[in-house]
Amino acid sequence: MEAAAVKTSPPQQQTPIVAIPTTPVTTMDKPKMVPQKYAPAPTGLQQKKKQTIHYPFWFGGSASSMAACVTHPLDLVKVRLQMRTGDMPKSMSSTVVHIVKHSGVRGLYNGLSASLLRQLTYSTTRFGIYEELKDHFTTGTAPPSFGLLIAMASASGFVGGFAGNAADVLNVRMQHDAALPPAQRRNYSNALEGLVRMARQEGIGSWFRGIWPNSMRAAAMTASQLASYDIFKQTLIKLTPMEDNLATHFTASFMAGVAAATVTSPIDVIKTRVMSASGKSSIPKLLGEIYAAEGLRWMFKGWVPSFLRLGPQTICTFLFLESHRKIYRKVKDLDE
């Protein structure tokens, strides 16, 4: 009898232990098990989906063109200061007053058609290639390293410099034209007419004037602008309470504008001088002439107006670009 009691007592003790994890009415264990088992999987998938969204190639060119419409007067003033000679105004404000006084408010938009053509060629190419490379080298949820972003952006900018060189030459000429004596003005009516006249009067080679300094500047610009924006944006989201929103986009683009203005200022001066010249002039000879006349100050001549142009342009470009992306995700019903 005692043996039988011993045999039957253990099942009575094990029965509630076995029933607890299998019974459907138990409610206290489920909330603990479900998050531990299933919560990480959706998060990883959502991050991967967000990283692999493939945006249209032309987004960068479209956003840059919109930004150019806002910042063109600043670009015009920058070119005038870099090409200043004689008793021309020396400050940004006096240059603006001089332009409005002699050409009216519309004078601040001289060469806008060439500026838009430049963005549609140069910026579309550099943004498009950069985003394609970035998507290609993104593995899972890990973005490319800082060094790789710089390399990809530099290569993209160099190719973009080739693609947009003709429009860039035309842009500089149309912006500087009104500052020349009437007898020396080219008076291009628009970008297309200017390209045709350049080819007829100076040969197709005029489209490629200054292509090497321009392409080097484009590489430096894209590396210091696009790559730095991505790095600043990632850093702000990772190390601060900021999220992927308008405030973060504004802050990261402002910091990218400062970096771009500082890196490209010396190259920008050389590019402007070469492209504005009518005859042949080698870069070493030009550097010698500038150094003899101005010393090392030439490297940052026009830095303030350059930053005042690049800052707003960079901010506008990336805000427009992020708006493009947001609308695209909404239309395609993709996760934010």
Side-chain angles (χ1 to χ4, degrees):
M1 293 296 292
E2 292 179 357
V6 172
K7 291 182 180 180
T8 56
S9 58
Q12 292 177 358
Q13 296 176 358
Q14 293 179 358
T15 300
I17 298 176
V18 176
I20 289 174
T22 58
T23 179
V25 298
T26 302
T27 57
M28 296 183 63
D29 289 342
K30 281 188 175 181
K32 296 180 181 178
M33 295 176 61
V34 171
Q36 293 176 358
K37 184 176 181 180
Y38 297 106
T43 304
L45 292 174
Q46 288 174 357
Q47 290 178 353
K48 185 175 181 180
K49 183 177 181 181
K50 185 176 181 179
Q51 289 288 338
T52 54
I53 294 177
H54 189 78
Y55 296 103
F57 190 88
W58 53 269
F59 269 14
S62 175
S64 298
S65 297
M66 293 180 180
C69 293
V70 178
T71 63
H72 183 79
L74 297 174
D75 192 24
L76 177 69
V77 171
K78 180 210 69 172
V79 171
R80 294 289 180 87
L81 285 173
Q82 289 178 336
M83 299 301 300
R84 181 181 61 83
T85 56
D87 59 350
M88 295 295 291
K90 299 180 180 180
S91 67
M92 184 176 181
S93 58
S94 59
T95 302
V96 172
V97 172
H98 178 81
I99 293 173
V100 173
K101 181 179 179 180
H102 290 82
S103 305
V105 176
R106 292 183 60 183
L108 294 172
Y109 284 89
N110 285 340
L112 179 60
S113 61
S115 180
L116 292 175
L117 179 61
R118 176 176 177 268
Q119 299 302 337
L120 292 174
T121 51
Y122 159 66
S123 289
T124 300
T125 302
R126 69 185 184 121
F127 269 94
I129 295 177
Y130 176 71
E131 292 297 333
E132 290 287 340
L133 291 174
K134 191 168 66 173
D135 288 344
H136 178 74
F137 285 101
T138 298
T139 57
T141 58
S145 64
F146 176 73
L148 186 57
L149 285 175
I150 293 293
M152 292 188 299
S154 298
S156 303
F158 193 81
V159 176
F162 270 83
N165 194 79
D168 211 359
V169 174
L170 188 63
N171 185 42
V172 171
R173 290 187 175 190
M174 292 183 71
Q175 289 179 347
H176 182 54
D177 204 47
L180 296 172
Q184 299 179 17
R185 294 176 184 174
R186 300 177 177 92
N187 295 317
Y188 300 140
S189 59
N190 56 64
L192 296 179
E193 192 257 354
L195 288 176
V196 172
R197 283 181 53 187
M198 284 171 59
R200 288 177 178 176
Q201 298 172 3
E202 305 174 46
I204 296 295
S206 62
W207 290 5
F208 303 97
R209 183 184 298 275
I211 192 168
W212 294 113
N214 187 41
S215 296
M216 288 187 293
R217 175 193 180 274
M221 167 68 77
T222 307
S224 59
Q225 194 178 48
L226 273 64
S228 66
Y229 173 77
D230 283 336
I231 294 299
F232 288 138
K233 179 181 173 182
Q234 293 171 14
T235 303
L236 288 171
I237 294 175
K238 183 178 180 180
L239 301 181
T240 72
M242 302 179 74
E243 299 179 353
D244 191 358
N245 53 28
L246 181 62
T248 302
H249 302 160
F250 179 89
T251 305
S253 59
F254 176 83
M255 297 169 71
V258 174
T262 303
V263 170
T264 61
S265 183
I267 305 174
D268 207 21
V269 174
I270 299 173
K271 184 206 75 169
T272 302
R273 296 290 182 93
V274 172
M275 289 185 170
S276 182
S278 297
K280 294 183 178 180
S281 179
S282 64
I283 295 178
K285 180 180 178 181
L286 181 63
L287 286 174
E289 294 174 354
I290 297 176
Y291 178 76
E294 305 175 31
L296 292 177
R297 292 179 301 174
W298 72 268
M299 296 182 66
F300 297 100
K301 187 175 184 179
W303 185 94
V304 172
S306 179
F307 166 71
L308 292 177
R309 176 190 69 89
L310 272 178
Q313 184 195 46
T314 305
I315 292 171
C316 291
T317 297
F318 285 111
L319 291 184
F320 283 130
L321 181 61
E322 295 289 358
S323 297
H324 280 49
R325 292 171 174 173
K326 184 176 181 179
I327 294 173
Y328 181 82
R329 291 194 299 267
K330 185 175 181 180
V331 171
K332 295 294 185 178
D333 194 24
L334 299 172
D335 293 337
E336 290 289 340

